[in-house]
Amino acid sequence: MKRQIITKSRSLTEETEALINKQIILEGESSAYYLSMASWCDKQGFSTSAEFLYKHSDEERMHMLKLFRYVNEAGGHALQPEITGVKHHFENLREVFELILDHEIEVTKSINNLVDHCFSIKDFATFNFLQWFVSEQREEETLARRAVELFDMIGEEGIGLWTIDQEIGKLEAFAAASSSGQAMSGQ
Ligand code: OFO
């Protein structure tokens, strides 16, 4: 006998549900991209960058799950994304971090569109929920930008690449300090 599903009314619109499911795809892609980059770094001997990226891959999955649970709790249906076309080989370490910066900028744009949509339809619960992602993107973009800047500041000659790999490991602390500085200054 077919089980009857009780459909409850909900305030999450179908359009918002679809937009969040699109964001779930992006976060899942971020996790997959960073895992692939971590593996490449590991194989090239950039062990600090590899650790940084393994951790970031986990964080992106956590972002995906946060959205996933929200959709279901709000009465929608979160969809496991299909992720294909992940790049496995990179020209060099600089390319890895340049791709991360570009990707994070795309994710920020997508979050902003989602926030804008929620505000325009007065879905303030989802608007409020998304503020965490707004702050997170600001932090992640800064982190990726700082990583790319290391290549120009240190240079890749001699022990430059080794030094850059070491410095990548310190970026997390820098991001944490700058975000607590923003909190203290109320920005
Ligand atoms: Fe999910 O924060 Fe980056 O992509």
Side-chain angles (χ1 to χ4, degrees), residues 6-7 9-10 21 30-31 41 48 57 75 87 94 122 132 134 145-146 166-167 170 175 178-179:
I6 304 160
T7 310
S9 56
R10 57 186 219 183
N21 268 315
S30 304
S31 179
C41 288
T48 311
S57 171
K87 186 173 161 78
R94 183 180 189 122
K122 294 188 167 55
W132 183 88
V134 171
R145 191 167 296 106
R146 291 284 173 263
Q166 298 300 303
E167 291 296 317
K170 298 177 193 162
S178 67
S179 65

Short mmCIF file of all heavy atoms in Angstrom, two decimals, residues 6-7 9-10 21 30-31 41 48 57 75 87 94 122 132 134 145-146 166-167 170 175 178-179:
data_model
loop_
_atom_site.label_atom_id
_atom_site.label_comp_id
_atom_site.label_asym_id
_atom_site.label_seq_id
_atom_site.Cartn_x
_atom_site.Cartn_y
_atom_site.Cartn_z
N ILE A 6 1.73 13.51 4.05
CA ILE A 6 0.91 14.65 4.45
C ILE A 6 1.64 15.92 4.04
O ILE A 6 2.78 16.16 4.43
CB ILE A 6 0.70 14.66 5.97
CG1 ILE A 6 0.07 13.33 6.39
CG2 ILE A 6 -0.15 15.85 6.41
CD1 ILE A 6 0.23 13.01 7.83
N THR A 7 1.05 16.71 3.19
CA THR A 7 1.69 17.95 2.75
C THR A 7 1.27 19.08 3.68
O THR A 7 0.09 19.39 3.79
CB THR A 7 1.27 18.29 1.31
OG1 THR A 7 1.46 17.13 0.53
CG2 THR A 7 2.09 19.43 0.75
N SER A 9 1.42 23.02 4.89
CA SER A 9 1.63 24.32 4.27
C SER A 9 2.94 24.89 4.80
O SER A 9 3.42 24.52 5.87
CB SER A 9 0.46 25.24 4.57
OG SER A 9 0.28 25.33 5.95
N ARG A 10 3.52 25.77 4.07
CA ARG A 10 4.84 26.28 4.43
C ARG A 10 5.03 27.69 3.89
O ARG A 10 4.35 28.08 2.93
CB ARG A 10 5.92 25.36 3.85
CG ARG A 10 5.76 25.23 2.34
CD ARG A 10 6.68 24.25 1.71
NE ARG A 10 7.14 24.79 0.43
CZ ARG A 10 7.90 24.17 -0.41
NH1 ARG A 10 8.35 22.97 -0.12
NH2 ARG A 10 8.28 24.73 -1.52
N ASN A 21 18.48 25.13 -3.55
CA ASN A 21 19.03 23.89 -4.11
C ASN A 21 20.16 24.19 -5.10
O ASN A 21 21.12 23.42 -5.20
CB ASN A 21 17.92 23.05 -4.76
CG ASN A 21 17.33 22.05 -3.76
OD1 ASN A 21 18.06 21.38 -3.03
ND2 ASN A 21 16.02 21.96 -3.72
N SER A 30 32.16 23.35 -4.53
CA SER A 30 33.32 23.92 -3.80
C SER A 30 34.04 22.80 -3.05
O SER A 30 35.27 22.70 -3.10
CB SER A 30 32.87 24.97 -2.78
OG SER A 30 32.12 25.99 -3.39
N SER A 31 33.27 21.98 -2.36
CA SER A 31 33.88 20.90 -1.58
C SER A 31 34.66 19.95 -2.49
O SER A 31 35.79 19.56 -2.19
CB SER A 31 32.78 20.14 -0.82
OG SER A 31 33.34 19.10 -0.08
N CYS A 41 47.90 19.09 -4.58
CA CYS A 41 48.95 19.72 -3.75
C CYS A 41 49.74 18.65 -3.00
O CYS A 41 50.97 18.71 -2.91
CB CYS A 41 48.34 20.70 -2.74
SG CYS A 41 47.73 22.20 -3.49
N THR A 48 51.45 21.82 3.24
CA THR A 48 50.67 22.77 4.03
C THR A 48 49.43 23.22 3.26
O THR A 48 48.33 23.30 3.81
CB THR A 48 51.53 24.00 4.42
OG1 THR A 48 52.76 23.52 4.95
CG2 THR A 48 50.85 24.86 5.45
N SER A 57 37.72 21.82 2.14
CA SER A 57 36.76 20.94 1.47
C SER A 57 35.71 20.48 2.49
O SER A 57 34.50 20.50 2.20
CB SER A 57 37.51 19.74 0.88
OG SER A 57 36.58 18.79 0.43
N GLY A 75 10.26 22.72 5.16
CA GLY A 75 9.17 22.04 4.45
C GLY A 75 9.46 21.76 2.98
O GLY A 75 8.59 21.25 2.26
N LYS A 87 38.14 19.36 -12.01
CA LYS A 87 39.50 19.44 -12.57
C LYS A 87 40.47 18.73 -11.62
O LYS A 87 40.42 18.96 -10.41
CB LYS A 87 39.84 20.94 -12.70
CG LYS A 87 41.12 21.30 -13.39
CD LYS A 87 41.17 22.83 -13.54
CE LYS A 87 42.55 23.37 -13.80
NZ LYS A 87 43.01 23.21 -15.17
N ARG A 94 50.07 28.53 -7.98
CA ARG A 94 49.40 29.82 -8.14
C ARG A 94 48.03 29.64 -8.80
O ARG A 94 47.04 30.24 -8.39
CB ARG A 94 50.29 30.75 -8.98
CG ARG A 94 49.69 32.12 -9.11
CD ARG A 94 50.57 33.05 -9.95
NE ARG A 94 50.03 34.39 -9.85
CZ ARG A 94 50.70 35.44 -9.42
NH1 ARG A 94 51.96 35.35 -9.11
NH2 ARG A 94 50.12 36.61 -9.34
N LYS A 122 10.00 39.26 0.97
CA LYS A 122 9.75 39.36 2.42
C LYS A 122 9.84 38.00 3.14
O LYS A 122 9.10 37.75 4.10
CB LYS A 122 8.40 40.02 2.70
CG LYS A 122 8.30 41.47 2.28
CD LYS A 122 6.99 42.06 2.79
CE LYS A 122 6.90 43.54 2.72
NZ LYS A 122 7.14 44.14 1.41
N TRP A 132 24.63 34.40 7.83
CA TRP A 132 25.84 33.66 8.19
C TRP A 132 26.70 33.45 6.94
O TRP A 132 27.93 33.58 6.97
CB TRP A 132 25.44 32.31 8.81
CG TRP A 132 26.63 31.53 9.27
CD1 TRP A 132 27.23 31.59 10.49
CD2 TRP A 132 27.40 30.59 8.50
NE1 TRP A 132 28.31 30.75 10.53
CE2 TRP A 132 28.44 30.13 9.32
CE3 TRP A 132 27.31 30.09 7.19
CZ2 TRP A 132 29.39 29.19 8.90
CZ3 TRP A 132 28.25 29.17 6.76
CH2 TRP A 132 29.27 28.72 7.61
N VAL A 134 26.72 35.29 4.23
CA VAL A 134 27.24 36.58 3.77
C VAL A 134 28.59 36.85 4.46
O VAL A 134 29.59 37.17 3.81
CB VAL A 134 26.24 37.73 4.06
CG1 VAL A 134 26.86 39.09 3.78
CG2 VAL A 134 24.95 37.54 3.26
N ARG A 145 42.19 35.85 -1.49
CA ARG A 145 42.94 37.00 -2.04
C ARG A 145 44.32 37.09 -1.40
O ARG A 145 45.32 37.31 -2.09
CB ARG A 145 42.13 38.28 -1.84
CG ARG A 145 42.70 39.47 -2.61
CD ARG A 145 41.75 40.65 -2.67
NE ARG A 145 40.54 40.34 -3.39
CZ ARG A 145 39.34 40.14 -2.84
NH1 ARG A 145 39.19 40.23 -1.53
NH2 ARG A 145 38.29 39.85 -3.56
N ARG A 146 44.38 36.89 -0.08
CA ARG A 146 45.68 36.92 0.62
C ARG A 146 46.59 35.82 0.08
O ARG A 146 47.80 36.02 -0.07
CB ARG A 146 45.48 36.73 2.13
CG ARG A 146 44.79 37.89 2.81
CD ARG A 146 45.73 39.09 3.01
NE ARG A 146 45.04 40.24 3.51
CZ ARG A 146 44.58 41.26 2.77
NH1 ARG A 146 44.77 41.26 1.47
NH2 ARG A 146 43.96 42.27 3.32
N GLN A 166 54.35 27.37 3.18
CA GLN A 166 54.35 27.53 4.65
C GLN A 166 53.40 28.66 5.07
O GLN A 166 52.65 28.53 6.03
CB GLN A 166 55.77 27.86 5.16
CG GLN A 166 56.80 26.79 4.91
CD GLN A 166 56.43 25.48 5.58
OE1 GLN A 166 56.23 25.43 6.78
NE2 GLN A 166 56.30 24.43 4.79
N GLU A 167 53.47 29.76 4.33
CA GLU A 167 52.65 30.93 4.68
C GLU A 167 51.15 30.67 4.52
O GLU A 167 50.34 31.24 5.24
CB GLU A 167 53.04 32.14 3.82
CG GLU A 167 54.42 32.71 4.11
CD GLU A 167 54.53 33.27 5.53
OE1 GLU A 167 53.59 33.96 5.96
OE2 GLU A 167 55.54 33.00 6.20
N LYS A 170 49.42 29.85 7.59
CA LYS A 170 49.19 30.91 8.60
C LYS A 170 47.98 31.78 8.26
O LYS A 170 47.59 32.62 9.05
CB LYS A 170 50.43 31.81 8.69
CG LYS A 170 51.68 31.07 9.13
CD LYS A 170 52.87 32.03 9.14
CE LYS A 170 54.19 31.26 9.26
NZ LYS A 170 55.34 32.07 8.86
N ALA A 175 42.90 35.31 8.97
CA ALA A 175 41.47 35.54 8.69
C ALA A 175 40.69 35.63 9.99
O ALA A 175 39.82 36.49 10.15
CB ALA A 175 40.92 34.43 7.83
N SER A 178 41.40 39.00 11.55
CA SER A 178 40.77 40.14 10.87
C SER A 178 39.26 40.11 11.04
O SER A 178 38.63 41.14 11.16
CB SER A 178 41.18 40.24 9.41
OG SER A 178 40.67 39.18 8.69
N SER A 179 38.64 38.90 11.12
CA SER A 179 37.19 38.91 11.31
C SER A 179 36.83 39.30 12.74
O SER A 179 35.83 39.95 12.98
CB SER A 179 36.55 37.59 10.92
OG SER A 179 36.97 36.57 11.76
#
